[in-house]
Amino acid sequence: MQAGNAHYRLAKDLPSTIPIFPLEGALLLPGGRMPLNIFEPRYLQMVDEAVAGSRLIGVIQPRLDGALREDGEPELCNVGCAGRIIAFSETGDGRYLISLQGVFRFRIAHELTVKTPFRQAKPAPFLADLDDDPAANEIDRPALLKAFRAYLQANDLEADWESVSRAENAMLVNALSMMAPYGPAEKQALLEAADLKTRAETLIAITEMALARENEDFGSSLQ
């Protein structure tokens, strides 16, 4: 896995601790890119320290049931994705604009007791994410594109089909998963999919269910 100027091949290439950025409804996947507008003081400090260190930040959703810790901070989902800061700029009004490239998914092995205003954890990385996924060749690309096209048509949306047609399977599945306008539970299911083939099948199923619901709602409105 290459992200920016860095290559991640083995467990020893990964940091033992990472800062944690809880972000509801966000989906970062290995190889994918996520733009972020950072403005909270604690997360400005998080970016400063990440840029000075490993450049990696762990993006993870708050737990789907909304549970909170005693200090009022959210409990977290089981799985997140670490991304490397590959672009960084200051806005002049106190904000940072950054771009993360996903490197590896992780489970939180242990959340640390820290003095920083942002949370930190020891990640248990999904090391398979550092290699090419052999399941990429097993993806039903026509079915994926059919579902995606139907969703766009149903919602009067457009896509750059020339770029879509050129995209490799892994990039296509992860890009469509990240841009899909689904809720936190669906995003988490896509993140936790075992491999690219399973993620593609999950995305197709979620899209078909969304289309079915829209058709039912449309039918009900005519009655």
Side-chain angles (χ1 to χ4, degrees):
M1 169 66 71
Q2 179 176 358
N5 293 329
H7 293 266
Y8 303 92
R9 299 184 178 91
L10 302 169
K12 67 180 181 63
D13 298 327
L14 308 179
S16 60
T17 64
I18 56 173
I20 296 296
F21 190 19
L23 202 56
E24 184 177 12
L27 177 60
L28 178 63
L29 292 167
R33 297 191 178 189
M34 174 184 285
L36 290 171
N37 174 22
I38 308 296
F39 55 88
E40 281 191 57
R42 59 176 168 171
Y43 295 127
L44 293 171
Q45 182 178 337
M46 176 189 71
V47 171
D48 285 339
E49 295 195 19
V51 168
S54 69
R55 288 183 173 257
L56 290 171
I57 291 172
V59 176
I60 191 166
Q61 290 202 96
R63 216 166 75 181
L64 300 178
D65 62 5
L68 300 177
R69 306 191 311 185
E70 290 184 0
D71 62 1
E73 288 294 310
E75 297 283 3
L76 302 174
C77 284
N78 291 328
V79 178
C81 184
R84 180 180 172 87
I85 299 173
I86 58 170
F88 168 93
S89 65
E90 297 179 283
T91 62
D93 60 3
R95 294 177 293 121
Y96 291 157
L97 301 179
I98 68 172
S99 180
L100 295 180
Q101 181 175 337
V103 177
F104 63 91
R105 292 172 298 161
F106 64 89
R107 295 184 188 276
I108 293 181
H110 175 64
E111 187 164 351
L112 304 177
T113 300
V114 294
K115 294 182 179 180
T116 57
F118 56 89
R119 297 163 72 170
Q120 300 182 53
K122 289 185 176 294
F126 290 36
L127 294 177
D129 289 345
L130 304 182
D131 299 319
D132 292 335
D133 191 335
N137 296 324
E138 302 172 14
I139 290 169
D140 188 345
R141 187 181 179 102
L144 179 63
L145 292 178
K146 179 182 177 182
F148 181 55
R149 188 185 296 272
Y151 184 86
L152 292 180
Q153 290 175 345
N155 291 275
D156 295 323
L157 300 173
E158 297 182 356
D160 182 352
W161 288 106
E162 182 178 350
S163 297
V164 169
S165 65
R166 292 199 307 265
E168 297 179 352
N169 282 349
M171 181 181 296
L172 178 66
V173 172
N174 288 341
L176 292 182
S177 296
M178 289 179 61
M179 67 184 289
Y182 300 133
E186 290 83 1
K187 296 277 190 180
Q188 195 65 26
L190 291 166
L191 175 65
E192 296 185 17
D195 53 34
L196 278 168
K197 181 175 182 291
T198 305
R199 183 171 298 132
E201 292 170 347
T202 302
L203 181 57
I204 291 170
I206 292 172
T207 302
E208 289 176 344
M209 287 189 290
L211 288 169
R213 284 196 299 268
E214 289 178 2
N215 288 335
E216 288 177 1
D217 292 342
F218 179 72
S220 298
S221 68
L222 295 179
Q223 294 177 3

